[in-house]
Amino acid sequence: MIEDYRKARKAGLRQVRQDVSAGRYPYPPALSDIIKDHGYQGEVPVGVVEIDMSLIAGTRTQGRQNSFSRGFLPLLEEDSEFAAKWSALIDSQRGEGLREPIIVYEYMQRFYVQEGNKRVSVMRFLEMPTITANVTRMLPMPSDSKEYRIYQEFLRFYRVCPIYGITFSEEGSYERLAIFAGQDLDHPWPDERVVDLRASFGSFAEAFSKRHGESLGITSGDAYLIYLKLYGFELAVCASPVEIADRLGRIWGELRVTTNQDAIAYLEAPTEPASRGGIISDLKGLYKNRFFPKPLRIAFIYERSPQTSGWAAAHDRGRIELERASGGTVETTVFTDCASDEAFDRAVERAVAEQDDLIVTNVPTQATQALRAAVMYPQLKVLNCSVSLSYGAVRTFSTKTYEVKFLLGALAASLSDNHRVGYVADSPVYGTVAGINAFAIGVQTVDPHATVYLKWYSAKDYDWRRELAESDVRIVCARDVPNPGNPDESWGLYLVEHDGTEVHLGEPVWEWGRYYERIVQSIRDDSWQRERDELHDRALNYWWGLSSGVMDVHICDCVPARQRSLVEIFKQSMLSGQTHPFAGELKSQTGLVQPSGAGRLSSMQIARMAWLNQNIVGRLPEVRELSDRGLDEVVAGGVIPVNPTLAARREAKR
């Protein structure tokens, strides 16, 4: 009816005015103009399929473009023949539906109408989600662009799972989607799998659009992958549209953090409680926190056990110290050997059943599991011990271990009699390279002629002890904590005597109990909530160092007094702010990082550095050289690139 046309035309004219004001082309673009400068390889008939209305981008050729707004709403006068035909079409759609498929060309997963512009216009006005179309694909010319490579991945995906509309902005995403679904891109998917994915993604994309997800700068496909990562494919596809919309709301904060250019807030010192303002408020706070506190319940979920992992043992000592110091105001529970998703989820379910307030996880490889728990149970506070991971619902905590490594490097150089020092690192993950470089800079500060020989625990099939011995390296900085599985293995900084005897010289010291006390205090005095309110849409990363009292360096009595004094002098200089390992001139193996007189690197630059100092002999390992454990750690938060497909497979294996 003509009244519908009046409403549609009014909306179309409004669209045109808005586009003109914003400097956008106000009419549907023509595919002939788009490919004019690029050309195309050829045409491939796809057949009659149901396509998403949101993917119709324009017309096949120039012609009646000016008859429609950019969104395909009509613009011609209401007494025109065009208006009469449009009105007849909408009456037909309401009466019996538009059965004749439109004819479209697909280019880079967008559709351009050859025949059926008015039918598209009617369906857009009626807000219909899909339309039947006879599709011909126009293959783009080969190029080295990211867009072309992603489209080639889509073509592989479409051959095994014929669904249009799932678009991604990163390479490897279609393979990740297939892995989540338990499929691949080489064999046709079962029909029921295709139907499940089409329905699930359709509901998700609709909910994403209603929340104006396009404003986040990611596609609905990108967001859907995050959804699948947290909920799993089976749980995701069996959800109703209402459940999907609810879950999208729960992970919306994660999507905002993911797309935030300044995603991580590094909190480099404990937040001080807000001033209460008055004796009455002080008394209320004292009453609340001292006299009748509700015990804060904390669940510690360890990937391994303190009996097999020195790192877990160090955290567990901190847990015990926290409970002892709390005077009964903190109660803790421990869950060990929770590496698999099943074991981790069971621990979380028990923690929720026991009404725990906080969950603490102690390695970066638990970060995704921790995030899933935080999304599923928003009443929980969740911590993960890692640095520089960007999650909204999970706060990360770590120490500036590089500060202590600088001190150990200075000590190592002062004790070496041949200008050679060794360093054995764990895995090339966030924070580790900073420790390596700080150690090397500490060495360089004391002995400009010294060389640091770098080896890796996480590299497979090589003997780093033999290689260091062959290089005549006798001062070695090894693993930071003792290995419960091999208590005789040297750790920390040690000296290899000429007869092969190994003498322990010093090591980093973590005061995890004190760290946890400060976290508990922040929850009690509402600093935790204030930090969230002030730094919304950012991942909160507690990254504390020597000045916070949560870590220190221990030097053994066997070290000569003058060398112990040297370490103390450097330590006090760091505490006063006069010395910082990453301030001033910095040179990597390949050239100048920053000139003399420059300030310290930013927290992000330190946490995620992937260069090695000029006095280091060695390199970062390649993915193919890593052990299974090292690969898992790099997938969780590494500084070397990992193929997205390989990363997805590692995640799925858990």
Side-chain angles (χ1 to χ4, degrees):
M1 62 177 61
I2 197 63
E3 185 59 34
D4 289 318
Y5 187 83
R6 291 193 187 101
K7 291 178 181 178
R9 180 173 181 264
K10 183 177 180 181
L13 292 171
R14 184 167 59 249
Q15 277 187 358
V16 168
R17 289 193 298 270
Q18 290 172 346
D19 285 339
V20 170
S21 298
R24 293 188 296 262
Y25 184 67
Y27 309 114
L31 179 57
S32 56
D33 291 336
I34 294 172
I35 63 175
K36 181 170 56 179
D37 297 328
H38 305 287
Y40 63 99
Q41 294 187 71
E43 300 178 1
V44 177
V46 174
V48 177
V49 295
E50 198 81 4
I51 64 173
D52 193 320
M53 289 291 297
S54 65
L55 297 178
I56 298 178
T59 59
R60 170 66 180 87
T61 58
Q62 292 179 344
R64 303 198 67 178
Q65 290 172 288
N66 294 3
S67 301
F68 303 97
S69 69
R70 186 168 53 93
F72 271 92
L73 293 177
L75 299 176
L76 300 185
E77 297 293 335
E78 62 184 73
D79 58 354
S80 64
E81 181 184 0
F82 176 95
K85 291 181 178 180
W86 193 100
S87 298
L89 276 174
I90 199 169
D91 290 342
S92 177
Q93 165 61 20
R94 286 192 171 122
E96 55 189 37
L98 301 177
R99 298 179 181 178
E100 187 72 18
I102 62 174
I103 297 176
V104 300
Y105 282 78
E106 179 252 312
Y107 182 76
M108 300 294 282
Q109 227 187 143
R110 291 293 182 269
F111 298 103
Y112 300 85
V113 183
Q114 174 74 33
E115 291 182 16
N117 290 307
K118 284 191 287 296
R119 278 172 280 171
V120 170
S121 180
V122 165
M123 299 290 269
R124 275 277 172 86
F125 175 70
L126 293 175
E127 298 183 346
M128 302 297 289
T130 62
I131 191 170
T132 303
N134 193 329
V135 179
T136 299
R137 178 176 294 142
M138 298 184 70
L139 297 174
M141 295 296 290
S143 76
D144 193 34
S145 69
K146 181 179 179 181
E147 291 74 17
Y148 179 80
R149 293 194 296 271
I150 292 175
Y151 185 71
Q152 293 305 301
E153 290 180 18
F154 162 72
L155 294 181
R156 288 186 62 201
F157 168 76
Y158 192 86
R159 280 192 287 270
V160 298
C161 181
I163 299 176
Y164 273 115
I166 305 179
T167 60
F168 298 110
S169 56
E170 297 297 331
E171 296 174 62
S173 295
Y174 287 103
E175 290 229 36
R176 289 188 67 204
L177 176 59
I179 290 168
F180 280 131
Q183 305 296 317
D184 57 38
L185 298 184
D186 299 315
H187 302 90
W189 293 18
D191 290 343
E192 62 271 16
R193 216 54 164 170
V194 176
V195 171
D196 286 345
L197 177 59
R198 181 181 285 113
S200 172
F201 178 76
S203 296
F204 183 90
E206 182 179 359
F208 187 76
S209 177
K210 286 181 178 178
R211 281 181 166 266
H212 304 289
E214 67 280 355
S215 64
L216 296 176
I218 59 175
T219 71
S220 55
D222 296 332
Y224 189 66
L225 280 185
I226 296 175
Y227 171 69
L228 292 180
K229 181 177 180 178
L230 293 175
Y231 289 100
F233 189 84
E234 301 303 333
L235 186 61
V237 299
C238 69
S240 69
V242 172
E243 290 172 320
I244 290 174
D246 175 69
R247 290 173 183 170
L248 177 60
R250 293 189 182 199
I251 69 171
W252 198 253
E254 295 309 312
L255 301 182
R256 288 202 303 262
V257 168
T258 298
T259 58
N260 188 348
Q261 294 297 314
D262 189 22
I264 303 174
Y266 295 92
L267 307 180
E268 300 192 44
T271 301
E272 295 301 323
S275 57
R276 297 189 179 277
I279 189 169
I280 300 299
S281 295
D282 286 341
L283 289 173
K284 287 181 178 179
L286 185 64
Y287 179 86
K288 172 184 175 183
N289 291 310
R290 295 294 181 189
F291 287 104
F292 296 104
K294 171 189 175 294
L296 188 75
R297 292 189 53 83
I298 307 177
F300 287 77
I301 304 180
Y302 301 143
E303 187 177 68
R304 296 168 63 189
S305 75
Q307 288 72 43
T308 60
S309 164
W311 189 245
H315 279 271
D316 206 51
R317 286 192 296 273
R319 175 192 67 83
I320 294 169
E321 291 166 7
L322 166 67
E323 202 169 58
R324 185 184 300 125
S326 73
T329 63
V330 174
E331 298 174 356
T332 67
T333 309
V334 181
F335 301 92
T336 63
D337 296 314
C338 295
S340 70
D341 284 350
E342 292 79 8
F344 188 93
D345 292 345
R346 283 196 302 270
V348 171
E349 288 168 5
R350 279 190 56 190
V352 170
E354 294 172 6
Q355 297 185 326
D356 287 350
D357 304 287
L358 173 67
I359 285 179
V360 177
T361 54
N362 73 320
V363 288
T365 46
Q366 293 178 299
T368 299
Q369 295 168 324
L371 179 58
R372 188 170 62 249
V375 169
M376 292 287 286
Y377 304 102
Q379 75 275 20
L380 283 175
K381 297 176 175 65
V382 183
L383 284 170
N384 175 252
C385 187
S386 58
V387 62
S388 205
L389 299 185
S390 53
Y391 297 120
V394 174
R395 301 193 190 186
T396 58
F397 71 105
S398 190
T399 58
K400 298 181 182 179
T401 309
Y402 70 85
E403 294 179 339
V404 170
K405 292 304 180 80
F406 172 82
L407 299 176
L408 291 175
L411 176 61
S414 73
L415 295 173
S416 175
D417 58 7
N418 64 356
H419 309 292
R420 299 184 181 203
V421 177
Y423 191 106
V424 191
D426 288 319
S427 299
V429 298
Y430 299 144
T432 295
V433 180
I436 297 168
N437 284 333
F439 180 86
I441 291 168
V443 168
Q444 191 176 44
T445 303
V446 172
D447 182 358
H449 304 291
T451 301
V452 177
Y453 289 78
L454 173 63
K455 308 297 176 183
W456 295 91
Y457 281 114
S458 56
K460 57 187 177 184
D461 302 329
Y462 90 111
D463 186 348
W464 59 265
R465 288 181 179 276
R466 177 184 56 78
E467 291 188 4
L468 289 179
E470 290 176 352
S471 299
D472 196 23
V473 173
R474 296 192 300 110
I475 301 286
V476 180
C477 187
R479 65 173 79 250
D480 294 328
V481 292
N483 179 7
N486 185 8
D488 295 328
E489 180 185 14
S490 294
W491 59 286
L493 187 71
Y494 65 90
L495 163 69
V496 182
E497 299 279 16
H498 290 289
D499 63 0
T501 304
E502 295 177 349
V503 180
H504 189 71
L505 303 173
E507 77 278 353
V509 176
W510 281 272
E511 301 287 353
W512 291 120
R514 187 171 299 172
Y515 211 129
Y516 293 138
E517 286 180 45
R518 300 302 295 265
I519 294 292
V520 168
Q521 178 186 333
S522 76
I523 295 173
R524 296 276 195 205
D525 65 26
D526 296 327
S527 298
W528 178 285
Q529 185 58 46
R530 275 204 328 278
E531 290 163 349
R532 176 75 283 158
D533 294 341
E534 294 171 3
L535 297 165
H536 61 282
D537 293 349
R538 298 180 70 187
L540 303 188
N541 192 156
Y542 301 116
W543 202 25
W544 303 344
L546 288 171
S547 62
S548 302
V550 298
M551 75 173 310
D552 204 343
V553 62
H554 172 254
I555 307 301
C556 296
D557 292 340
C558 64
V559 174
R562 291 190 181 278
Q563 274 70 30
R564 292 202 303 271
S565 296
L566 176 70
V567 172
E568 185 62 26
I569 289 169
F570 276 122
K571 176 182 171 181
Q572 294 304 319
S573 182
M574 292 178 72
L575 289 171
S576 66
Q578 293 179 310
T579 297
H580 193 284
F582 300 116
E585 184 180 72
L586 297 171
K587 290 183 178 179
S588 73
Q589 293 173 331
T590 57
L592 188 69
V593 175
Q594 70 174 18
S596 176
R600 57 158 277 190
L601 298 179
S602 70
S603 296
M604 178 72 83
Q605 289 172 317
I606 294 172
R608 298 196 171 196
M609 63 174 53
W611 53 269
L612 295 174
N613 202 59
Q614 64 178 165
N615 64 334
I616 293 175
V617 175
R619 60 177 174 81
L620 301 181
E622 298 177 14
V623 167
R624 61 180 176 81
E625 298 172 316
L626 294 173
S627 64
D628 279 353
R629 176 62 184 173
L631 183 54
D632 283 340
E633 291 174 340
V634 168
V635 166
V639 298
I640 61 175
V642 179
N643 181 287
T645 303
L646 175 61
R649 287 175 180 157
R650 301 299 298 190
E651 290 173 347
K653 194 182 79 168
R654 295 177 70 89

PDB file of all heavy atoms in Angstrom, residues 51-63:
ATOM      1  N   ILE A  51      20.081 -16.017   1.681  1.00  0.00           N
ATOM      2  CA  ILE A  51      21.191 -15.152   2.074  1.00  0.00           C
ATOM      3  C   ILE A  51      20.715 -14.134   3.113  1.00  0.00           C
ATOM      4  O   ILE A  51      19.535 -13.773   3.167  1.00  0.00           O
ATOM      5  CB  ILE A  51      21.823 -14.420   0.873  1.00  0.00           C
ATOM      6  CG1 ILE A  51      20.824 -13.456   0.223  1.00  0.00           C
ATOM      7  CG2 ILE A  51      22.369 -15.419  -0.140  1.00  0.00           C
ATOM      8  CD1 ILE A  51      21.433 -12.580  -0.865  1.00  0.00           C
ATOM      9  N   ASP A  52      21.653 -13.688   3.912  1.00  0.00           N
ATOM     10  CA  ASP A  52      21.377 -12.722   4.968  1.00  0.00           C
ATOM     11  C   ASP A  52      21.192 -11.337   4.339  1.00  0.00           C
ATOM     12  O   ASP A  52      22.039 -10.871   3.570  1.00  0.00           O
ATOM     13  CB  ASP A  52      22.545 -12.708   5.957  1.00  0.00           C
ATOM     14  CG  ASP A  52      22.218 -11.978   7.241  1.00  0.00           C
ATOM     15  OD1 ASP A  52      21.559 -10.925   7.169  1.00  0.00           O
ATOM     16  OD2 ASP A  52      22.638 -12.451   8.311  1.00  0.00           O
ATOM     17  N   MET A  53      20.094 -10.680   4.683  1.00  0.00           N
ATOM     18  CA  MET A  53      19.832  -9.347   4.131  1.00  0.00           C
ATOM     19  C   MET A  53      20.942  -8.357   4.455  1.00  0.00           C
ATOM     20  O   MET A  53      21.235  -7.449   3.674  1.00  0.00           O
ATOM     21  CB  MET A  53      18.498  -8.818   4.671  1.00  0.00           C
ATOM     22  CG  MET A  53      17.265  -9.499   4.124  1.00  0.00           C
ATOM     23  SD  MET A  53      17.002  -9.128   2.369  1.00  0.00           S
ATOM     24  CE  MET A  53      16.756  -7.361   2.423  1.00  0.00           C
ATOM     25  N   SER A  54      21.577  -8.529   5.614  1.00  0.00           N
ATOM     26  CA  SER A  54      22.613  -7.576   6.014  1.00  0.00           C
ATOM     27  C   SER A  54      23.841  -7.655   5.126  1.00  0.00           C
ATOM     28  O   SER A  54      24.675  -6.742   5.128  1.00  0.00           O
ATOM     29  CB  SER A  54      23.020  -7.833   7.464  1.00  0.00           C
ATOM     30  OG  SER A  54      23.636  -9.110   7.603  1.00  0.00           O
ATOM     31  N   LEU A  55      23.976  -8.746   4.340  1.00  0.00           N
ATOM     32  CA  LEU A  55      25.140  -8.902   3.471  1.00  0.00           C
ATOM     33  C   LEU A  55      24.914  -8.339   2.075  1.00  0.00           C
ATOM     34  O   LEU A  55      25.812  -8.380   1.240  1.00  0.00           O
ATOM     35  CB  LEU A  55      25.516 -10.377   3.365  1.00  0.00           C
ATOM     36  CG  LEU A  55      25.950 -11.060   4.671  1.00  0.00           C
ATOM     37  CD1 LEU A  55      26.251 -12.528   4.427  1.00  0.00           C
ATOM     38  CD2 LEU A  55      27.153 -10.354   5.276  1.00  0.00           C
ATOM     39  N   ILE A  56      23.706  -7.835   1.802  1.00  0.00           N
ATOM     40  CA  ILE A  56      23.446  -7.197   0.506  1.00  0.00           C
ATOM     41  C   ILE A  56      24.007  -5.782   0.572  1.00  0.00           C
ATOM     42  O   ILE A  56      23.533  -4.928   1.324  1.00  0.00           O
ATOM     43  CB  ILE A  56      21.949  -7.191   0.174  1.00  0.00           C
ATOM     44  CG1 ILE A  56      21.443  -8.627   0.061  1.00  0.00           C
ATOM     45  CG2 ILE A  56      21.696  -6.432  -1.119  1.00  0.00           C
ATOM     46  CD1 ILE A  56      19.958  -8.737  -0.212  1.00  0.00           C
ATOM     47  N   ALA A  57      25.064  -5.564  -0.235  1.00  0.00           N
ATOM     48  CA  ALA A  57      25.821  -4.314  -0.104  1.00  0.00           C
ATOM     49  C   ALA A  57      25.519  -3.300  -1.190  1.00  0.00           C
ATOM     50  O   ALA A  57      25.762  -2.106  -1.011  1.00  0.00           O
ATOM     51  CB  ALA A  57      27.319  -4.626  -0.107  1.00  0.00           C
ATOM     52  N   GLY A  58      25.007  -3.742  -2.364  1.00  0.00           N
ATOM     53  CA  GLY A  58      24.797  -2.787  -3.441  1.00  0.00           C
ATOM     54  C   GLY A  58      24.195  -3.446  -4.659  1.00  0.00           C
ATOM     55  O   GLY A  58      23.572  -4.505  -4.579  1.00  0.00           O
ATOM     56  N   THR A  59      24.396  -2.815  -5.817  1.00  0.00           N
ATOM     57  CA  THR A  59      23.853  -3.315  -7.082  1.00  0.00           C
ATOM     58  C   THR A  59      24.983  -3.852  -7.954  1.00  0.00           C
ATOM     59  O   THR A  59      26.153  -3.535  -7.755  1.00  0.00           O
ATOM     60  CB  THR A  59      23.130  -2.188  -7.831  1.00  0.00           C
ATOM     61  OG1 THR A  59      24.053  -1.116  -8.088  1.00  0.00           O
ATOM     62  CG2 THR A  59      21.978  -1.653  -7.000  1.00  0.00           C
ATOM     63  N   ARG A  60      24.624  -4.692  -8.911  1.00  0.00           N
ATOM     64  CA  ARG A  60      25.639  -5.283  -9.797  1.00  0.00           C
ATOM     65  C   ARG A  60      26.247  -4.232 -10.712  1.00  0.00           C
ATOM     66  O   ARG A  60      27.453  -4.198 -10.925  1.00  0.00           O
ATOM     67  CB  ARG A  60      24.992  -6.413 -10.613  1.00  0.00           C
ATOM     68  CG  ARG A  60      25.846  -6.960 -11.754  1.00  0.00           C
ATOM     69  CD  ARG A  60      27.083  -7.654 -11.239  1.00  0.00           C
ATOM     70  NE  ARG A  60      27.901  -8.186 -12.324  1.00  0.00           N
ATOM     71  CZ  ARG A  60      28.823  -7.513 -12.973  1.00  0.00           C
ATOM     72  NH1 ARG A  60      29.062  -6.234 -12.652  1.00  0.00           N
ATOM     73  NH2 ARG A  60      29.530  -8.077 -13.932  1.00  0.00           N
ATOM     74  N   THR A  61      25.408  -3.385 -11.302  1.00  0.00           N
ATOM     75  CA  THR A  61      25.894  -2.363 -12.232  1.00  0.00           C
ATOM     76  C   THR A  61      25.283  -1.018 -11.884  1.00  0.00           C
ATOM     77  O   THR A  61      24.347  -0.924 -11.084  1.00  0.00           O
ATOM     78  CB  THR A  61      25.514  -2.723 -13.679  1.00  0.00           C
ATOM     79  OG1 THR A  61      24.088  -2.846 -13.766  1.00  0.00           O
ATOM     80  CG2 THR A  61      26.169  -4.024 -14.114  1.00  0.00           C
ATOM     81  N   GLN A  62      25.829   0.005 -12.498  1.00  0.00           N
ATOM     82  CA  GLN A  62      25.223   1.324 -12.347  1.00  0.00           C
ATOM     83  C   GLN A  62      23.887   1.327 -13.077  1.00  0.00           C
ATOM     84  O   GLN A  62      23.677   0.625 -14.046  1.00  0.00           O
ATOM     85  CB  GLN A  62      26.134   2.395 -12.941  1.00  0.00           C
ATOM     86  CG  GLN A  62      27.431   2.594 -12.186  1.00  0.00           C
ATOM     87  CD  GLN A  62      28.300   3.655 -12.837  1.00  0.00           C
ATOM     88  OE1 GLN A  62      28.093   4.036 -13.994  1.00  0.00           O
ATOM     89  NE2 GLN A  62      29.272   4.141 -12.099  1.00  0.00           N
ATOM     90  N   GLY A  63      22.961   2.110 -12.620  1.00  0.00           N
ATOM     91  CA  GLY A  63      21.647   2.155 -13.247  1.00  0.00           C
ATOM     92  C   GLY A  63      20.709   2.954 -12.378  1.00  0.00           C
ATOM     93  O   GLY A  63      20.801   4.175 -12.333  1.00  0.00           O
TER      94      GLY A  63
END
